[in-house]
Amino acid sequence: MAVLEVKNIKKNFGKTVVLKGISFSLDKGDVLSIIGSSGSGKTTLFRCLNFLETADCGTISVADKVIFDGDSSANLTDEQIRENRLHFGLVFQNFNLFPQYTALENVCLAPRLQARERPDYKANHRAILAEIEAHGRELLDQVGLSAKYDSYPCQLSGGQQQRVAIARALALDPEILFFDEPTSALDPELTGEILRVIRQLAEKKMTMVIVTHEMQFAREVSDRVIFMDDGLIVEQGTPEEVLVNPQNERTKAFLARVATP
């Protein structure tokens, strides 16, 4: 069953055409890796899918519900955009943690704000907040940070900060988890701990879209791989088809470059 369907997404910045008609689908519980050179359009696609940019045309559907239609969604209200984003958990390159909050507070912040909209919040706020905190602790345990609940971002390594960011993205129980090159801001020795967490999520059948430059990781963790070049999907298929036995000459040239020391 397709949980995400993307059809004919296009995006221009002025006269620069960045996305030229992107279409793909993602089944529930699958992991999709998006690869390609810098400037290929993969990060712009990521931003359009998460309403950080507005596509010029096309449609985006989650669980058969259209949440973006280029013909009618150009003027979505802020409230509608926030509602659409609830389908997704986002993990960025540079962590984006709030420095004034502890790891646990960073994870619990969005659920606490969302809980205030519940009709029973005033009467049951203590129990609700306790439940949110307990869930936050479980998520930090899940990413291996049970000893860091009360640590501030400045007291954490880059890898630990990124794991807090992953726990935060999971806190609202998103249908799809998006990663934008989650290891690119890390030293090589810290990359492994993030990849381990993502592998664990994949084993639990978390639906994920990962923009990555880690080819071996994409091969190991993905159910499908998309190779983008010049704003287009040039090739897509299983990791074996795209990364091991590519058919398109542009895919072959890209893989040869990234495999070169």
Side-chain angles (χ1 to χ4, degrees):
M1 172 186 172
V3 67
L4 175 67
E5 290 203 36
V6 177
K7 296 181 180 178
N8 198 35
I9 291 293
K10 297 181 180 180
K11 179 64 179 177
N12 298 350
F13 292 103
K15 294 182 180 180
T16 303
V17 182
V18 180
L19 300 177
K20 301 177 180 178
I22 301 295
S23 300
F24 67 89
S25 63
L26 177 64
D27 287 344
K28 185 176 178 61
D30 280 358
V31 178
L32 170 68
S33 288
I34 302 176
I35 63 172
S37 301
S38 177
S40 62
K42 58 187 188 297
T43 294
T44 298
L45 174 61
F46 174 95
R47 292 178 63 82
C48 287
L49 294 177
N50 291 288
F51 297 89
L52 301 171
E53 300 282 357
T54 301
D56 297 324
C57 71
T59 63
I60 302 169
S61 302
V62 175
D64 293 326
K65 177 186 177 183
V66 176
I67 63 171
F68 176 84
D69 184 339
D71 294 331
S72 58
S73 297
N75 296 312
L76 289 172
T77 66
D78 289 344
E79 183 177 353
Q80 288 171 319
I81 290 173
R82 283 195 298 271
E83 183 178 344
N84 286 339
R85 284 177 180 160
L86 291 176
H87 295 287
F88 310 129
L90 309 182
V91 181
F92 298 96
Q93 298 178 29
N94 295 316
F95 325 139
N96 294 343
L97 300 179
F98 291 103
Q100 70 272 35
Y101 296 139
T102 65
L104 182 59
E105 288 168 339
N106 266 281
V107 172
C108 294
L109 179 60
R112 285 170 176 167
L113 293 174
Q114 188 182 51
R116 293 178 183 178
E117 301 176 8
R118 290 175 49 169
D120 62 338
Y121 180 76
K122 286 187 177 180
N124 300 299
H125 68 278
R126 290 183 179 176
I128 291 170
L129 292 177
E131 182 180 336
I132 290 170
E133 182 171 321
H135 185 48
R137 290 175 183 272
E138 288 174 5
L139 291 172
L140 287 171
D141 293 346
Q142 184 177 333
V143 299
L145 293 176
S146 56
K148 300 295 184 179
Y149 298 151
D150 298 321
S151 297
Y152 289 89
C154 65
Q155 299 170 316
L156 301 173
S157 70
Q160 290 170 335
Q161 289 184 61
Q162 190 63 296
R163 283 187 278 160
V164 174
I166 293 171
R168 180 181 60 182
L170 292 167
L172 291 176
D173 298 319
E175 291 163 89
I176 306 167
L177 194 57
F178 281 84
F179 294 86
D180 184 16
E181 302 210 12
T183 62
S184 65
L186 301 176
D187 294 333
E189 65 186 41
L190 298 177
T191 294
E193 62 190 67
I194 302 305
L195 300 184
R196 282 194 296 273
V197 171
I198 296 175
R199 284 193 188 97
Q200 291 166 3
L201 292 172
E203 290 169 0
K204 294 180 179 180
K205 290 299 179 181
M206 180 75 206
T207 309
M208 293 183 281
V209 177
I210 308 170
V211 175
T212 183
H213 60 278
E214 300 277 353
M215 296 302 110
Q216 184 60 36
F217 171 70
R219 181 178 175 183
E220 292 174 3
V221 79
S222 305
D223 296 287
R224 295 190 65 76
V225 176
I226 283 174
F227 169 61
M228 289 184 63
D229 186 56
D230 194 28
L232 293 167
I233 293 178
V234 173
E235 193 161 357
Q236 60 179 312
T238 66
E240 184 76 14
E241 290 168 338
V242 177
L243 299 176
V244 181
N245 298 302
Q247 301 303 303
N248 190 282
E249 291 303 319
R250 289 153 82 181
T251 314
K252 293 177 183 178
F254 168 76
L255 293 172
R257 287 198 308 273
V258 298
T260 302

